[in-house]
Each structure stands twice: as structure tokens, then as C-alpha cells.
């Protein structure tokens, strides 16, 4: 079946849509461009679906490449048969392909390869037929001291080694055992207390759980504990499961009564293998049964355990990356705090609090250092300095980083605000994760060469409150503190997914072509760092852009890049009002036809006089109007939406940042209190909520909803405003437990 048809079936879309998507991707179109401006070609699939489509396309192409490679290898080896070729053609996973190739894969020196080199393969084949139980007669012709086979027993032992490897490599046997592993294998952990001084993994002492029910975060915790040598991790089965496994294997290879050959187990369900075996007294079936047990315990079980550990890890990684992706999007899409002059306080103890003031455009107005925190405790001096700075720069809002000394800094800021009454000031706690990474980066040094790293960090904190997206894209997403085990993830895959989130967020919002930083422009569809730098150079030389068409005059920005980027770049107050919308220049003629058809002008767009346009279009018929304009219906509806609100920022519809003027501490809380909070992180077993006490409270998944949910992300996202009830306060451990479902309920 063609890849396009497979994808059409998997994504439940028309085959033509699948073919179109593949063509667009192969032409070098970006996902934001495809999702926004080629809706008619794929049935208006959203950005996330198209990304999943691309991932699946890559997988299927890699699968086909591996099929071709395995077919070539088997043919060159002289092992290809029509049956093998059909199995390869019918395979739908890489595991199936590798199982087919496994028996023919060149191996390092093994007991079986030594026996084969000694000429014992025909003996093993004869025993497998099980039509002659006189093994001594069968093996005698293979005794050859020159080949290292000095007795019948050695010949039979070598044949057993060959059969054991055949069992371990058999595709059907492995396929039959996988469901048993998935439903019956238990993963176990033994805590090595002497290797875990901080007792991080104490909860995994004598841990065991069926792998089917193992959540992703536990897989990753076990892996990390094993890597740090604090845990010993292994698989095990109960006796009934082991018996089921051996019966399954015996059915593949042993004729007769399979249960008669069942091995013995000790009281811990461990195999009791004989120390010595006399193959000369065995029947063919008994020798094969022994080889099955040997092949399973020595080769097949370790191989399947490695395979399942890898699969569990891959699945856990993918789930954690998905969780990171879900958390990152709302973090980046937090609404900006527009029109405010912001003073940032980057807290510290000994070195003092670094101060930076920025205007509503992000320009740095003032900087400084004050020492209101221990050990200096120069509170009065700090109030005097910052009061003057606030009045001088007409500051509206104070942003406080939530790192070291943030509690003491918040206490000071509240005192500062009270000292300046009746002047109205508010403050917000800002997550400073990654701020130090930015301040020490080449980008930070390039943007603010005149400041040291600590002042750059303060500027970043202020700008995070002012425009989170524009500032956070300057930092590696892995440093933003909204994931789990991010440093244990496959870094290439994690970066690929998170870069996709950044790309989607930037292009969903749109970018001001005349003010955006090079870092922000780099994430625009069709652009890269080199072109972004050329855009900055062009606007500096020409005092900004006045028309989107000017992009074609930018060095290195060709027609293809222009097609991909133009619709996502905005020019407020440009020559053409459409340049401040998401309408793509290729659709400008369609807009002209639409306006002419309804006797409207561009002035009507500027004056917001198109409120009745949707009703007029609906009355006449969307399909008819779309045909008149020369576009598809989805494009027409998108155009109308942009004309109704030119220059809109989609983030403005979201809840604004939480601003405070009063102080609340963990000691001020008691069980039963109801509070308002903001979701800071969503993880597999719950969510962390900021209620303004410097310690994010934990809402366990069982306390999120009265309805059953499989995962917290079903009802919560980063940035959500929630009402919570305090259900536990531990001052000694600095822990806060919260409930959403109990809030405001008696």
C-alpha cells in the first residue's frame, strides 16, 4: 500500500489530502504555513495534526528504507526466499523487520557460532525433526577431534547450543511471547541505600509493578536511579507466568506432551537449572526442551527484557516530551502586560538585588543595585533609591524573580509599595527559570554589551512580564522549568518537538517586522538566523519596513522564503492595512474583490465598519462569495476574521498576569482555606499551583476533579486560573497540598 494511502487511513482524511500534505512537505513548506495558508489542500487540519502526520511520514519512510536494506542484505547472503520477502513486505513495524532479519544477522562469536563452525548445524537440524530418538547414532558421525568435537556428548552439547540460538532468534516465538511480557512481566527495583546518600530513591525500596501499568514518570525515575547506581532494576515473573512462557515456547519447537518437559522452579519462582546434563540419555524432544529453556534463560529473556526496557523508556520519553510540549505552549502564550513601565527586581543575598526598569516598548530606562536582603539589610536605603527611580521613570509595576532570596525581596517590595502610598503600584512574581542562561549567552551579550550578566538577568525578568513570548524564545525551552526529567530525554527529539512549539506559538501570534528581535524573527516560518540578521540590517538602513513587498529586497530572502514568512510578519501603521493582519499577500487580490463586491473600501477596515460583513456573506452564500473572490471557503473565512480585527493579538483574550499588592506566606495558610492560584506545571500525577506563597502547592490527580481523569492535562494547562483549597501545610518540609475539587465546597 502506498504511504499516502496508509496515512490517509491512519488520519482519517481523503487520500488526496494526504498526497497534498506530502507534496507540500517535500516542497519545503513549513508546518505553520501549511496549516494557515493551504487549508483547502488538506481539509483544514490543525498544526498539531500536521506535525503528527509529518512524524508518521518520517517513520513510514524509515520503515521502507529498512525493508529495502534488509531485503538487499538477505539477497546478498543468498538467504532470500519468496516467503521471507512476503514477510518483509507485510511488516508494519521496525520490530517485525528486525525479528525477520535476526536469524541471519552476522553475530559476534557465540557458543552457537562455534558449534556451527565445527560442522554441527546438520546435527541440530536432524534433532529438530524429532523423528529419531537415538541421539548417540545421530551424533557419532560428527565426532571430530580436529574440529574440537572429541565425543558424542560434546557434539550433542554443540547441537543444543545451536538450537538454543534458533529458539532465541525465532520471529514467531518472540512474537508469541511479547503479549505475555506486556501483561505479566513485573519490573522490580532493589534500593542500594549505601549508594543513595540523599535517599532520593527510598520510595523504590523493594518496588515491583506489572510493566503494563507502569506510569511514565516511574519508568524515568527507575532509569535514573539505575544510572546513578542507587537502584538495581530487573524483570521477574510469577511461577504461573513462567510456566505459560515455556509452554508457549515448547509449542513452537517440541513435539508431544509439552508439560512433561516443564523445568523445575524454586520457592522464589526462580529456575532450577541442572549443573550437568547427559544428552546421550535424552530423547530428541527432551534435548530440544532443554535447549528451549537454555535459549530462553541465556539469550531470549535478556533480549526481550532489553527490548521492553527500551520500549518502556521510549514510550515514557515520548509521553514526557508530550507533557513538556503541552506545558510549554500556554507558558509561551501568556498574555503580555502592555502599556506598562516595569521595574524588575532580580533577588539575591550577598551581592544585592539587581534592578532594571524598562519602558512599554522594552527599552531599558534605568538600572541599579540595592541591598535590602541579608546580610546587608539596607532596607531604608533601598526604599529611598527605588522610590526615586520609580518616580523618575513613572513605574507602574514591579516584577520580582522567584529565585534565591525572592521571599525576602517580596517582603521588601510590599513595604516599598506601602511607603509610596497613595501612588498605586502592583507587583508580580515572575518565573526566572533560564534567566541566568540567557544573561550569560552570546545573545544576551550582543543585546546588552554595556551590562553585566546580573543586570541582563533583571532586564529579562522585566521583559518576561511585559511580553513572555518575545523574551522566552531567547532561551532553550528545556531551561524553562515546565517538564520532568528533561535532561534524561533524547535531546534531539526533545529539541525537535519543543522547537515546533516555539515555531507554532510565534507564528500563531505574529511578529512586528519593525520591532522584533533577531531571535524572534528566527522562529518565523521560512526564516533562519542568517535571514533574520539581514532583515534587521535592512530595517536599520531604511528606517523600518513600510510594505511587506520590501521583504523581497532583503538580501538572502528569496521568493520561497517570502511565501512562507510574509503572512506572519506584521507592519503596524504601514502603507497597506492588510500588512498588519494575517492575510497573506497572495490573497490581497481576493480581499480587493471581496470589498468591491460588497461596495466597501480599505477605510472601512481601518474604521472597523465591517461588523455586518459575515452576515452579508452568509446570506449570499459562503461558497458563492469564495468563488467570486477566487479562494476556497476556509481561506475566505480566515480573511473575514482578520478584516474584522486588524492588528489583533490573540493573547489579549487570555487572563492577564496576576498582580498583587499584599503579602501572603506559607505560615499564613491553614487547612480549609480557599485561594486563587495559577497552574505553573502539569505533570503525570498532578499539577503545581502558585497561590502566592513562594511554595507552589501540589494538587494530586485525585484532587483535581470529581470526574475520573486519566491525566491532569485533560482538564489543566499551564497558566490556568484555578480556585483551590488548602488540604495540607508542612512548614518543616516547606510543602503545600491543595485540592481543586474541594474548593468552595462545605
Amino acid at each position: 500500500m502506498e504511504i499516502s494511502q496508509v496515512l490517509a487511513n491512519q488520519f482519517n482524511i481523503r487520500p488526496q489530502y494526504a498526497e497534498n500534505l506530502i507534496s507540500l512537505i517535500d516542497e519545503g513548506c513549513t508546518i505553520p504555513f501549511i496549516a494557515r495558508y493551504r487549508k483547502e489542500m488538506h481539509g483544514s487540519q490543525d498544526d498539531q495534526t500536521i506535525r503528527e502526520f509529518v512524524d508518521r511520514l518520517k517513520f513510514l519512510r524509515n520503515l521502507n528504507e529498512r525493508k529495502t536494506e534488509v531485503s538487499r542484505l538477505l539477497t546478498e547472503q543468498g538467504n532470500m526466499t519468496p516467503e521471507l520477502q512476503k514477510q518483509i513486505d507485510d511488516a508494519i513495524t521496525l520490530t517485525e523487520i528486525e525479528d525477520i532479519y535476526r536469524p541471519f544477522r552476522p553475530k559476534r562469536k557465540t557458543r552457537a557460532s562455534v558449534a556451527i563452525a565445527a560442522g554441527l548445524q546438520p546435527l541440530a537440524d536432524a534433532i529438530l525433526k524429532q523423528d529419531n530418538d537415538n541421539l548417540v547414532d545421530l551424533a557419532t558421525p560428527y565426532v571430530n577431534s580436529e574440529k574440537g568435537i572429541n565425543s558424542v556428548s560434546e557434539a550433542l552439547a554443540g547441537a543444543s547450543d545451536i538450537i538454543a540460538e534458533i529458539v532465541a532468534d525465532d520471529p514467531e516465538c518472540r512474537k508469541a511471547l511479547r503479549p505475555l511480557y506486556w501483561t505479566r512481566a513485573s519490573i522490580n527495583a532493589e534500593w542500594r541505600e549505601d549508594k543513595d546518600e540523599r535517599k532520593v530513591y527510598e520510595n523504590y525500596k523493594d518496588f515491583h509493578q506489572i510493566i503494563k501499568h507502569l506510569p511514565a514518570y516511574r519508568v524515568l525515575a527507575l532509569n535514573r536511579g539505575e544510572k546513578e547506581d542507587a537502584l538495581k532494576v530487573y524483570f521477574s515473573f510469577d511461577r504461573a507466568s513462567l510456566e505459560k512462557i515455556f509452554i508457549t515456547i515448547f509449542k513452537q519447537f517440541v513435539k508431544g506432551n509439552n508439560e512433561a518437559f516443564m523445568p523445575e522452579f524454586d520457592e522464589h519462582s526462580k529456575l532450577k537449572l541442572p549443573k550437568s546434563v547427559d544428552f546421550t540419555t535424552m530423547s530428541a524432544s527432551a534435548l530440544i526442551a532443554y535447549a528451549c529453556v537454555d535459549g530462553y534463560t541465556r539469550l531470549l529473556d535478556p533480549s526481550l527484557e532489553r527490548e521492553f526496557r527500551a520500549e518502556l523508556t521510549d514510550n515514557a520519553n515520548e509521553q514526557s516530551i508530550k507533557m513538556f510540549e503541552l506545558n510549554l505552549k500556554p507558558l509561551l502564550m501568556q498574555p503580555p502586560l502592555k502599556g506598562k513601565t516595569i521595574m524588575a527586581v532580580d533577588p539575591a543575598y550577598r551581592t544585592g538585588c539587581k534592578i532594571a526598569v524598562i519602558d512599554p516598548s522594552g527599552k531599558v530606562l534605568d538600572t541599579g543595585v540595592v541591598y535590602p536582603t541579608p546580610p546587608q539589610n539596607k532596607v531604608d536605603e533601598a526604599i529611598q533609591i527605588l522610590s526615586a527611580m520609580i518616580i523618575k521613570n513613572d513605574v507602574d509595576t514591579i516584577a520580582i524573580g522567584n529565585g534565591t532570596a525572592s521571599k525576602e525581596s517580596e517582603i521588601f517590595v510590599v513595604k516599598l509599595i506601602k511607603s509610596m502610598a497613595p501612588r498605586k503600584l502592583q507587583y508580580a512574581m515572575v518565573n526566572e527559570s533560564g534567566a541566568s542562561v540567557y544573561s550569560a549567552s552570546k545573545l544576551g551579550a550582543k543585546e546588552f554589551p554595556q551590562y553585566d550578566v546580573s543586570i541582563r538577568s533583571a532586564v529579562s525578568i522585566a521583559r518576561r512580564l511585559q511580553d513572555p513570548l518575545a523574551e522566552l524564545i531567547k532561551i532553550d525551552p528545556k531551561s524553562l522549568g515546565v517538564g520532568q526529567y528533561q535532561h534524561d530525554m533524547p535531546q534531539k527529539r526533545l529539541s525537535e518537538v519543543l522547537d515546533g512549539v516555539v515555531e507554532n506559538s510565534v507564528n500563531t501570534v505574529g511578529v512586528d517586522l519593525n520591532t522584533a528581535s533577531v531571535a524572534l524573527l528566527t522562529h518565523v516560518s521560512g526564516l533562519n538566523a542568517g535571514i533574520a540578521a539581514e532583515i534587521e540590517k535592512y530595517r536599520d538602513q531604511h528606517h523600518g519596513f513600510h510594505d511587506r513587498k520590501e521583504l523581497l529586497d532583503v538580501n538572502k530572502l528569496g521568493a520561497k522564503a517570502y511565501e512562507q514568512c510574509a503572512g506572519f510578519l506584521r507592519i503596524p501603521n504601514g502603507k497597506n492595512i492588510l500588512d498588519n493582519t494575517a492575510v497573506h499577500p497572495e490573497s490581497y487580490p481576493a480581499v480587493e474583490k471581496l470589498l468591491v463586491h460588497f461596495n466597501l473600501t480599505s477605510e472601512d477596515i481601518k474604521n472597523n465598519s465591517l461588523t455586518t460583513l459575515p452576515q452579508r456573506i452568509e446570506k449570499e452564500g459562503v461558497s458563492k462569495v469564495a468563488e467570486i473572490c477566487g479562494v476556497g471557503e476556509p481561506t475566505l473565512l480566515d480573511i473575514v476574521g482578520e478584516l474584522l480585527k486588524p492588528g489583533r493579538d490573540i493573547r489579549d483574550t487570555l487572563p492577564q498576569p496576576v498582580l498583587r499588592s499584599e503579602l501572603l506566606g506559607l505560615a499564613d495558610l491553614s487547612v480549609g482555606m480557599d485561594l486563587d492560584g495559577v497552574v505553573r506545571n502539569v505533570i503525570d500525577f498532578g499539577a503545581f499551583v502558585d497561590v502566592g506563597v513562594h511554595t507552589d502547592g501540589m494538587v494530586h490527580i485525585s484532587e483535581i476533579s470529581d470526574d475520573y481523569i486519566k491525566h491532569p492535562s485533560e482538564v489543566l494547562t499551564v497558566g490556568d486560573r484555578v480556585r483551590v483549597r488548602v488540604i495540607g501545610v508542612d512548614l518543616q518540609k516547606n510543602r503545600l497540598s491543595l485540592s481543586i475539587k474541594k474548593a468552595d465546597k462545605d
Side-chain angles (χ1 to χ4, degrees):
M1 189 183 296
E2 291 291 328
I3 285 180
S4 60
Q5 186 60 56
V6 173
L7 290 168
N9 294 341
Q10 290 179 351
F11 287 87
N12 195 28
I13 59 176
R14 296 177 187 174
Q16 187 60 51
Y17 289 163
E19 292 174 10
N20 290 343
L21 279 170
I22 293 172
S23 296
L24 289 167
I25 292 161
D26 289 343
E27 289 169 10
C29 295
T30 68
I31 291 175
F33 175 81
I34 295 170
R36 175 76 193 192
Y37 297 114
R38 292 295 180 264
K39 290 183 178 180
E40 287 82 2
M41 293 184 70
H42 54 76
S44 298
Q45 304 298 317
D46 61 25
D47 172 273
Q48 185 58 39
T49 301
I50 296 174
R51 290 190 188 280
E52 292 171 3
F53 183 98
V54 172
D55 285 344
R56 192 62 184 166
L57 174 63
K58 290 178 182 177
F59 169 81
L60 292 174
R61 284 178 167 172
N62 288 338
L63 180 65
N64 280 352
E65 287 178 9
R66 186 55 180 161
K67 285 183 177 183
T68 302
E69 177 69 4
V70 168
S71 294
R72 180 186 66 79
L73 292 170
L74 290 176
T75 301
E76 290 177 355
Q77 293 170 4
N79 292 318
M80 179 59 81
T81 65
E83 292 76 17
L84 279 175
Q85 187 62 65
K86 186 177 187 309
Q87 289 178 30
I88 292 171
D89 293 340
D90 292 343
I92 60 174
T93 67
L94 286 170
T95 299
E96 290 180 69
I97 296 294
E98 298 309 323
D99 278 355
I100 293 167
Y101 184 50
R102 183 180 295 274
F104 309 100
R105 185 192 301 276
K107 295 180 175 66
R108 58 180 176 79
K109 185 177 180 180
T110 64
R111 284 162 49 174
S113 67
V114 171
I116 291 170
L120 297 178
Q121 182 70 59
L123 175 59
D125 294 340
I127 294 171
L128 281 168
K129 291 179 181 178
Q130 299 172 72
D131 55 8
N132 185 350
D133 280 337
N134 194 332
L135 299 187
V136 174
D137 285 350
L138 281 175
T140 298
Y142 295 93
V143 176
N144 185 334
S145 58
E146 292 182 1
K147 294 184 177 182
I149 309 299
N150 298 308
S151 66
V152 168
S153 293
E154 289 183 9
L156 292 173
S160 176
D161 288 338
I162 294 171
I163 294 170
E165 193 165 279
I166 290 172
V167 169
D169 288 344
D170 184 71
E172 291 303 315
C173 184
R174 298 175 75 90
K175 184 177 180 179
L177 289 185
R178 286 191 180 99
L180 289 174
Y181 268 68
W182 180 242
T183 57
R184 299 193 178 209
S186 173
I187 193 166
N188 308 273
E190 294 178 4
W191 182 42
R192 292 172 169 168
E193 187 175 357
D194 58 320
K195 301 291 182 67
D196 187 14
E197 294 181 1
R198 295 182 294 123
K199 302 194 182 319
V200 174
Y201 301 100
E202 187 174 7
N203 289 341
Y204 288 92
K205 180 180 181 180
D206 299 325
F207 173 84
H208 58 89
Q209 188 170 10
I210 299 297
I211 63 172
K212 181 180 179 180
H213 305 301
L214 194 65
Y217 68 90
R218 283 203 179 128
V219 173
L220 298 175
L222 289 169
N223 287 352
R224 182 179 286 184
E226 185 177 45
K227 185 178 180 180
E228 295 176 3
D229 205 27
L231 296 175
K232 178 184 178 183
V233 183
Y234 58 93
F235 277 20
S236 70
F237 294 90
D238 59 32
R239 180 165 178 168
S241 297
L242 282 170
E243 290 177 352
K244 181 76 172 175
I245 286 171
F246 285 117
I247 289 173
T248 301
I249 298 173
F250 291 163
K251 283 182 178 179
Q252 299 278 343
F253 297 97
V254 182
K255 295 179 181 179
N257 182 5
N258 296 319
E259 295 186 13
F261 302 108
M262 187 62 61
E264 293 185 31
F265 304 93
D266 63 21
E267 67 276 13
H268 302 295
S269 299
K270 300 291 184 182
L271 275 170
K272 293 173 65 177
L273 295 174
K275 293 181 180 180
S276 61
V277 180
D278 185 358
F279 292 112
T280 62
T281 63
M282 288 185 178
S283 65
S285 296
L287 185 147
I288 293 169
Y290 175 84
C292 286
V293 175
D294 176 44
Y296 172 76
T297 55
R298 185 167 52 85
L299 303 171
L300 181 52
D301 179 52
S303 174
L304 286 177
E305 180 171 335
R306 287 193 298 272
E307 178 185 310
F308 271 87
R309 286 289 303 276
E311 184 177 343
L312 287 169
T313 298
D314 288 345
N315 291 341
N317 285 340
E318 201 61 30
Q319 184 173 331
S320 292
I321 290 172
K322 183 68 176 178
M323 199 68 254
F324 212 135
E325 179 183 15
L326 289 173
N327 286 339
L328 180 60
K329 179 69 180 288
L331 179 69
L332 295 176
M333 295 295 285
Q334 292 177 101
L337 192 64
K338 296 179 178 178
K340 302 288 186 181
T341 299
I342 300 172
M343 170 185 283
V345 178
D346 185 9
Y349 288 117
R350 181 181 56 82
T351 57
C353 298
K354 309 328 182 274
I355 309 298
V357 179
I358 62 171
D359 71 8
S361 69
K363 178 183 177 182
V364 179
L365 301 176
D366 215 338
T367 62
V369 183
V370 293
Y371 301 88
T373 56
Q376 286 89 343
N377 294 312
K378 297 178 180 179
V379 175
D380 293 338
E381 178 185 287
I383 288 177
Q384 184 178 357
I385 293 171
L386 296 190
S387 296
M389 196 179 288
I390 288 169
I391 293 170
K392 172 188 172 184
N393 298 294
D394 197 19
V395 171
D396 303 289
T397 308
I398 301 174
I400 308 172
N402 68 342
T404 303
S406 60
K407 181 66 176 178
E408 292 83 354
S409 297
E410 184 183 10
I411 293 170
F412 162 72
V413 166
V414 170
K415 188 171 183 179
L416 169 65
I417 290 173
K418 289 180 178 178
S419 73
M420 298 197 70
R423 185 184 188 96
K424 290 186 177 180
L425 285 170
Q426 291 180 302
Y427 75 91
M429 299 304 300
V430 177
N431 188 338
E432 63 178 56
S433 295
S436 59
V437 175
Y438 160 76
S439 62
S441 68
K442 290 181 180 179
L443 176 59
K446 182 180 179 181
E447 285 193 312
F448 300 109
Q450 70 274 38
Y451 300 134
D452 66 22
V453 292
S454 59
I455 294 297
R456 291 177 202 155
S457 183
V459 174
S460 179
I461 290 170
R463 286 181 164 183
R464 284 185 184 206
L465 183 61
Q466 183 180 69
D467 190 342
L469 179 60
E471 194 63 24
L472 293 177
I473 55 90
K474 300 175 183 177
I475 300 164
D476 184 345
K478 296 189 291 292
S479 300
L480 294 178
V482 289
Q484 292 176 278
Y485 299 98
Q486 55 262 41
H487 300 296
D488 297 341
M489 301 291 103
Q491 296 302 297
K492 182 180 178 181
R493 172 63 177 162
L494 179 60
S495 295
E496 179 184 87
V497 171
L498 298 186
D499 288 347
V501 177
V502 174
E503 179 186 53
N504 174 257
S505 300
V506 169
N507 290 284
T508 296
V509 172
V511 171
D512 187 330
L513 184 54
N514 285 322
T515 63
S517 65
V518 170
L520 188 58
L521 288 168
T522 300
H523 294 286
V524 172
S525 167
L527 302 184
N528 56 37
I531 299 176
E534 292 294 335
I535 289 175
E536 183 183 52
K537 185 186 300 183
Y538 180 95
R539 74 187 182 197
D540 289 344
Q541 293 173 349
H542 296 81
H543 306 291
F545 288 84
H546 309 286
D547 192 302
R548 277 173 170 166
K549 293 177 185 176
E550 292 180 60
L551 284 164
L552 291 169
D553 297 328
V554 173
N555 187 34
K556 298 181 181 179
L557 201 159
K560 186 66 177 181
Y562 177 76
E563 175 195 57
Q564 299 295 305
C565 74
F568 302 106
L569 295 170
R570 311 281 192 268
I571 306 178
N573 304 314
K575 294 179 181 178
N576 189 336
I577 191 171
L578 296 180
D579 286 351
N580 195 31
T581 71
V583 177
H584 197 283
E586 68 185 10
S587 294
Y588 286 5
V591 175
E592 290 299 319
K593 292 176 183 177
L594 178 68
L595 295 177
V596 169
H597 182 69
F598 288 103
N599 296 317
L600 299 168
T601 68
S602 58
E603 289 301 315
D604 293 311
I605 302 174
K606 294 178 181 178
N607 298 330
N608 294 318
S609 302
L610 303 181
T611 54
T612 62
L613 183 58
Q615 290 78 15
R616 296 172 69 183
I617 292 174
E618 186 175 352
K619 184 177 180 180
E620 188 165 337
V622 176
S623 59
K624 180 181 177 181
V625 176
E627 186 177 352
I628 291 170
C629 297
V631 296
E633 292 183 31
T635 297
L636 174 64
L637 296 175
D638 283 347
I639 288 173
V640 173
E642 289 299 315
L643 297 183
L644 291 174
K645 294 182 178 180
R648 66 175 173 172
D649 187 332
I650 191 173
R651 297 173 296 172
D652 289 342
T653 61
L654 302 173
Q656 291 296 302
V658 177
L659 300 177
R660 302 185 174 100
S661 57
E662 296 294 335
L663 181 66
L664 193 66
L666 191 62
D668 299 317
L669 304 184
S670 60
V671 172
M673 289 180 65
D674 286 339
L675 304 164
D676 292 317
V678 178
V679 177
R680 292 300 182 201
N681 199 3
V682 180
I683 54 179
D684 289 338
F685 53 85
F688 288 99
V689 176
D690 175 12
V691 292
V693 295
H694 285 269
T695 298
D696 286 348
M698 175 66 193
V699 183
H700 189 267
I701 186 171
S702 61
E703 294 294 336
I704 291 176
S705 173
D706 287 322
D707 298 325
Y708 172 75
I709 57 173
K710 291 183 178 180
H711 197 278
S713 61
E714 293 176 29
V715 293
L716 295 176
T717 58
V718 170
D720 282 352
R721 301 267 185 98
V722 291
R723 187 73 171 168
V724 295
R725 173 164 292 184
V726 178
I727 59 175
V729 180
D730 189 331
L731 295 177
Q732 186 175 0
K733 294 184 177 180
N734 201 37
R735 290 179 182 173
L736 175 62
S737 299
L738 304 170
S739 172
I740 293 175
K741 70 180 186 181
K742 291 187 176 75
D744 291 327
K745 292 181 181 178
D746 295 327

